[in-house]
Amino acid sequence: LTGVPREHRAFQYVLAHAIPGDPRHVLQTFDHWCYHCEHLSSVGPVKGEWHPIVERLLAERAPLRVLELGTYCGYGTVLLAGGLPPGAHLYTVEGDPQNATVAEKVIRLAGFHEGTVSLIVGPSAEVIPRLRDGHGLAQADFVFMDHAKRWYLRDLRLLESHRLLAPGATVVADNVLFPGAPHFLQYAKTCGRYRCRVHRASLEY
């Protein structure tokens, strides 16, 4: 009725209640809004073993260059940035300018500055070919895919063709079973380039 998008309403709540500079509290405040007010399709806090999986992979691999496709409101970005080793950099790509505006505020509210997290606005198919020359990402050690599922395979192939995946890189893709990315999953399992593992998890919130 107000004409204010729910993502902006969620941010106003986070801004009013979260502790600035505390990434975990920012995420917890988001979670409280999503449980009690309005649903947002963020990763969420209890998606099976999702947080431990991501946090364990970041701790094990200690990636210095991380790429996120699908920033949305910045929830996953804050989660990823909080697990980065010193000196690492996260590049996150969001195609929707309005969501990117919210995400930028959330990321900075959580305490991550531009030296740690770079938010790139634009369609992933246009951004990926420009990552090296336009944004300084030579190769990614860790990729988190959480944008439109129909683009997962296309964008993985783009990352391959532009040689943006470092040797031994880890690619984590959300929601490959539901709503589903069957072509991506089949390619990852059968192309011979990846060791593939599927983690079953509950839906967010």
Side-chain angles (χ1 to χ4, degrees):
L1 292 175
T2 64
V4 179
R6 61 178 176 171
E7 292 82 7
H8 289 263
R9 293 196 294 269
F11 172 70
Q12 290 302 320
Y13 180 84
V14 172
L15 183 63
H17 295 89
I19 300 172
D22 187 334
R24 287 196 176 274
H25 195 261
V26 169
L27 296 182
Q28 289 168 1
T29 308
F30 249 120
D31 293 334
H32 188 273
W33 172 268
C34 293
Y35 275 125
H36 300 287
C37 300
E38 294 180 282
H39 177 272
L40 295 176
S41 56
S42 302
V43 171
V46 289
K47 196 168 188 180
E49 297 182 329
W50 187 256
H51 279 206
I53 289 170
V54 174
E55 291 170 350
R56 174 176 56 80
L57 286 172
L58 290 173
E60 289 177 355
R61 308 299 166 87
L64 292 179
R65 294 294 177 266
V66 177
L67 173 64
E68 179 186 33
L69 299 177
T71 317
Y72 190 42
C73 292
Y75 188 107
T77 312
V78 172
L79 176 64
L80 291 168
L84 294 180
H89 196 94
L90 169 60
Y91 300 81
T92 182
V93 180
E94 174 55 43
D96 187 315
Q98 289 193 352
N99 289 342
T101 299
V102 173
E104 178 82 28
K105 296 174 182 177
V106 169
I107 294 164
R108 306 314 171 203
L109 179 66
F112 300 109
H113 53 77
E114 294 179 356
T116 302
V117 178
S118 295
L119 174 60
I120 305 167
V121 183
S124 56
E126 297 178 10
V127 171
I128 290 173
R130 296 188 283 106
L131 282 173
R132 179 176 286 108
D133 295 334
H135 302 283
L137 175 60
Q139 288 187 317
D141 307 303
F142 191 102
V143 178
F144 178 47
M145 307 180 84
D146 195 20
H147 55 327
K149 314 315 163 197
R150 65 184 180 276
W151 296 335
Y152 277 18
L153 178 56
R154 179 201 68 187
D155 289 351
L156 181 63
R157 298 299 299 270
L158 276 175
L159 291 171
E160 292 172 351
S161 64
H162 288 275
R163 302 185 302 281
L164 287 165
L165 295 176
T170 299
V171 179
V172 180
D174 194 18
N175 300 121
V176 294
L177 297 181
F178 181 84
H183 299 298
F184 166 86
L185 193 57
Q186 181 182 25
Y187 177 78
K189 287 181 174 180
T190 62
C191 72
R193 298 184 180 187
Y194 305 97
R195 288 179 295 161
C196 187
R197 181 175 178 183
V198 176
H199 299 271
R200 295 187 179 273
S202 60
L203 291 175
E204 63 274 4
Y205 307 112

